[in-house]
Amino acid sequence: MTQPIKISILGATGSIGKATLDLVRAFPDKLEALGLAAKSSLEVLAEQIREFKPKVVSVGDQAARKKLLDLLDWPQSLAIKRPEILVGAEGLDLVASQSGAQTVISAVVGAAGLRPTYAALVKGLKVCLANKESLVLAGEILTQVAGDRLAPVDSEHSAIFQALGGRLDCLDLDRLILTASGGPFRGRSFDDLKKVTREQALNHPTWSMGPKVTCDSATMMNKGLEVIEAHHLFNLDYDQIEVLVHPLSYVHSLAGFKDGSILAQMGPTDMKLAIAYALSHPARWPLAQAALKQPSFEKFLNQAVPSPLTFEQVDRKVFRPLALAEMAGRLGGTAPATLNAANEVAVEAFLAGRLAFIEIFEVLERTLEALPVQKITNLDEALAADQRARIKAAAFLPK
Ligand code: NAD
Ligand code: MG
């Protein structure tokens, strides 16, 4: 019998982290969780520790560690030892690289995912990457050190990865079409966007995800970050990467080849499929036993009802964050890191009720304009660009 794949999950209490643990629960013969890291939801983390018994855990700081120990209340008599509990950025790096796992699920949200992702890759581990922000910040550095040890989890990139049979490099690949649901504000005018609320922005039509990526889907910054992510993962020029709105999210993206053929991947809007494929490729696991969401397009296949399989262009004059990200990607150097940091600052302020939806766009534009583009040759330079942009963007928030 083959041994289970030993994994570490960074961002274990988040939307992707929980979906990954659903897979561990469904496939105990295939997966074993050795390391868990999180910064929020300590009650959830304590439950996860009791159920999955990892060897090492990391939380945000000493206060969170103390709270977690109280929640765990680990009996001395228990045959299984309490996991080691680490803290902070260092703890996160250690869970990423020293837990004894072969594979790391990188699913922290935001730029905080860069260092641990890099640590895992430098250690020679495989990384299933949900944290798109780390590729946006330091795509060249990560892909160089990764070789073929990166597997995308983002559903669009997973769709292309699946179309390529579980590979990233394909000399016959000619173009990519990333699909977007269009988010909750599809078809709205710029003036309409001035009035939208936080609740509306967080009400995604087809996917259930964490708050930051859901907000990014509403501004379409998410698709912009994904264009940059695709550029790095599949080594294509920006001219070869298109975006189309496909409101029902049946087709998760399309890969176009030199001979004119296009392969699309369809599936349920359930991230367990993409996470499982990142772990199992090129094989596939029987995901029915992981309670996979039913694909809503099956009714069209089974009943031969005409399917509304529609695609439309994005209005970049309204959804300016997509255009800004495409521009930053083409500029290269520190520009994507600057835009990403400005976005994290602006989205955090929006989610806290301190910024209007449309003002996110202004913070992005002003920060990108204010900071000159520089080259990035190593991780520290990428992180320094991130810090500079955070300070600049914070200065553009309302007092
Ligand atoms: P989430 O907000 O639901 O969860 C984030 C997790 O990261 C939580 O466990 C949180 O505690 C942890 N975390 C945050 N900051 C941390 C830090 N500094 N140190 C340690 N842990 C930290 O986010 P999510 O929706 O699961 O998204 C995670 C990543 O995956 C993002 O980069 C997102 O863009 C990407 N992604 C998510 C989805 C989805 O369906 N949720 C789809 C595609 C891509
Ligand atoms: Mg995506």
Side-chain angles (χ1 to χ4, degrees):
M1 214 183 90
T2 52
Q3 292 291 312
I5 305 170
K6 295 179 167 51
I7 64 171
S8 264
I9 306 172
L10 316 180
T13 58
S15 162
I16 295 287
K18 286 184 194 158
T20 307
L21 285 168
D22 286 344
L23 291 170
V24 178
R25 187 180 298 114
F27 297 102
D29 55 329
K30 297 187 192 301
L31 295 172
E32 183 185 354
L34 292 196
L36 301 179
K39 198 173 143 186
S40 49
S41 313
L42 294 178
E43 286 81 6
V44 174
L45 184 63
E47 254 328 293
Q48 293 176 340
I49 294 170
R50 274 193 280 273
E51 180 178 355
F52 296 100
K53 303 185 178 56
K55 296 213 171 359
V56 53
V57 169
S58 176
V59 290
D61 53 25
Q62 287 296 349
R65 181 177 191 276
K66 184 171 178 318
K67 187 169 170 205
L68 182 65
L69 285 171
D70 288 347
L71 285 166
L72 279 175
D73 195 18
W74 203 269
Q76 292 283 340
S77 54
L78 216 63
I80 297 174
K81 254 181 65 190
R82 172 177 69 68
E84 191 180 350
I85 299 175
L86 309 169
V87 297
E90 201 181 319
L92 183 62
D93 281 8
L94 288 172
V95 172
S97 58
Q98 311 286 341
S99 72
Q102 310 148 260
T103 298
V104 174
I105 313 296
S106 173
V108 161
V109 60
L114 176 55
R115 255 188 204 288
T117 300
Y118 182 74
L121 289 171
V122 166
K123 179 81 180 168
L125 307 182
K126 173 178 162 180
V127 172
C128 300
L129 187 72
N131 179 259
K132 63 193 88 184
E133 294 92 342
S134 54
L135 274 182
V136 172
L137 253 88
E140 270 109 25
I141 296 165
L142 290 184
T143 49
Q144 230 168 44
V145 58
D148 63 356
R149 286 179 289 112
L150 258 186
V153 166
D154 214 348
S155 60
E156 296 75 6
H157 309 74
S158 172
I160 294 156
F161 190 55
Q162 292 181 54
L164 301 183
R167 294 166 37 192
L168 293 172
D169 61 322
C170 173
L171 294 175
D172 299 321
L173 193 61
D174 187 43
R175 67 175 177 140
L176 303 179
I177 301 169
L178 303 183
T179 53
S181 69
F185 305 135
R186 181 174 69 92
R188 300 287 189 95
S189 71
F190 194 74
D191 277 344
D192 286 346
L193 293 189
K194 290 180 183 159
K195 291 168 247 154
V196 302
T197 64
R198 179 183 181 277
E199 283 60 42
Q200 289 168 329
L202 289 181
N203 186 20
H204 196 278
T206 53
W207 291 93
S208 160
M209 311 179 283
K212 193 261 181 182
V213 58
T214 304
C215 180
D216 286 348
S217 299
T219 61
M220 299 237 21
M221 176 53 126
N222 183 49
K223 213 46 57 179
L225 299 177
E226 290 180 355
V227 167
I228 301 173
E229 181 185 11
H231 160 79
H232 290 297
L233 281 174
F234 300 102
N235 195 20
L236 290 187
D237 291 338
Y238 284 99
D239 289 341
Q240 295 171 287
I241 306 170
E242 298 156 54
V243 172
L244 281 180
V245 172
H246 169 52
L248 294 170
S249 303
Y250 296 162
V251 175
H252 295 163
S253 279
L254 308 97
F257 297 88
K258 281 180 182 155
D259 60 1
S261 187
I262 292 180
L263 293 184
Q265 184 262 345
M266 294 172 77
T269 48
D270 186 331
M271 289 304 293
K272 288 201 287 280
L273 196 153
I275 300 165
Y277 191 76
L279 287 160
S280 70
H281 67 88
R284 290 176 185 272
W285 293 338
L287 291 186
Q289 77 189 63
L292 200 73
K293 207 168 145 182
Q294 273 303 303
S296 45
F297 55 78
E298 285 228 323
K299 57 181 178 282
F300 301 114
L301 302 179
N302 294 342
Q303 299 167 12
V305 174
S307 155
L309 200 67
T310 57
F311 298 94
E312 61 198 43
Q313 289 293 332
V314 183
D315 187 344
R316 287 171 173 74
K317 288 203 184 68
V318 176
F319 294 97
R320 289 182 346 220
L322 172 60
L324 287 174
E326 289 169 329
M327 186 183 84
R330 285 172 198 270
L331 285 170
T334 51
T338 298
L339 184 67
N340 179 69
N343 185 54
E344 288 189 32
V345 169
V347 169
E348 193 187 331
F350 169 70
L351 292 176
R354 291 192 288 123
L355 197 70
F357 185 76
I358 209 76
E359 288 172 337
I360 298 174
F361 299 14
E362 278 170 43
V363 174
L364 301 180
E365 271 162 3
R366 294 179 71 183
T367 311
L368 203 52
E369 249 173 42
L371 292 172
V373 180
Q374 295 171 10
K375 275 202 176 129
I376 288 184
T377 53
N378 58 48
L379 203 72
D380 287 340
E381 287 173 5
L383 292 166
D386 174 71
Q387 284 307 315
R388 267 198 306 278
R390 275 168 203 275
I391 293 165
K392 189 54 90 181
F396 294 135
L397 296 179
K399 292 286 171 294

